[in-house]
Amino acid sequence: MAEDTAKADACKEYQSSLEDLTFNSKPHINNLTILAEENLKYSLEIVKLIEAQITKAPASEKLPVMYLMDSIVKNVGGSYISLFAQNLSPIFSSVFEKVDESTRKSLFKLRSTWDDMFQLTKLYAVDVKVNKLDPAWPIKPLPPNVNSSSIHVNPKFLNRSVSITGISPLT
């Protein structure tokens, strides 16, 4: 029961501070990043709060919350990376769709810093989705060694299957 109270208190404190992030304030973003690190065991709840804030914030207040997400991913990392990655494409494209051209340029700069933070397949999905909204948005191709499908076949299995049928494998 005490754990539930601690979680509720942490989330309430985070939500309250998050609602005050209405403009790009480095000190405020740093404080929220520190709070996210201190409450790592509530990372799922914090990510949900941040995603909800991105969704409900007016267009002029979305970029600072995106910067917060970026700060947490880069400075805290851990479970936050995989949690933010889950909805990265719909969240990012939703923000992109609602903001002005200047903010879109800032989003492009932000996205350009994520190649080492998120899986390339996740970033590719972001690029494809945003490109549908703005054909000028570049789609960074996946490296040849990154397969976007989730099917993995053992070549030894294929060779064995071919041998069983009496057809000689192509070599």
Side-chain angles (χ1 to χ4, degrees), residues 63-80:
L63 186 61
V65 187
M66 292 295 291
Y67 285 153
L68 170 62
M69 179 191 77
D70 177 71
S71 176
I72 292 171
V73 165
K74 290 177 179 169
N75 296 303
V76 181
S79 59
Y80 283 108

Side-chain angles (χ1 to χ4, degrees), residues 33 66-86 88 109-124 126 140:
T33 301
M66 292 295 291
Y67 285 153
L68 170 62
M69 179 191 77
D70 177 71
S71 176
I72 292 171
V73 165
K74 290 177 179 169
N75 296 303
V76 181
S79 59
Y80 283 108
I81 296 172
S82 60
L83 291 169
F84 278 121
Q86 290 175 9
L88 187 63
K109 289 178 187 173
L110 184 64
R111 156 59 187 95
S112 299
T113 68
W114 288 346
D115 288 353
D116 295 331
M117 300 309 306
F118 292 108
Q119 292 176 345
L120 295 178
T121 53
K122 294 285 186 185
L123 296 174
Y124 181 78
V126 168
K140 189 169 185 179

Side-chain angles (χ1 to χ4, degrees), residues 18 47 55 68 100 102 118 129 161:
L18 182 59
V47 167
T55 302
L68 170 62
D100 60 23
S102 171
F118 292 108
K129 198 157 189 172
S161 297

Side-chain angles (χ1 to χ4, degrees), residues 140-157:
K140 189 169 185 179
L142 288 171
N145 62 340
V146 176
N147 189 350
S148 59
S149 72
S150 60
I151 299 173
H152 301 282
V153 180
N154 182 342
K156 290 180 181 176
F157 177 79

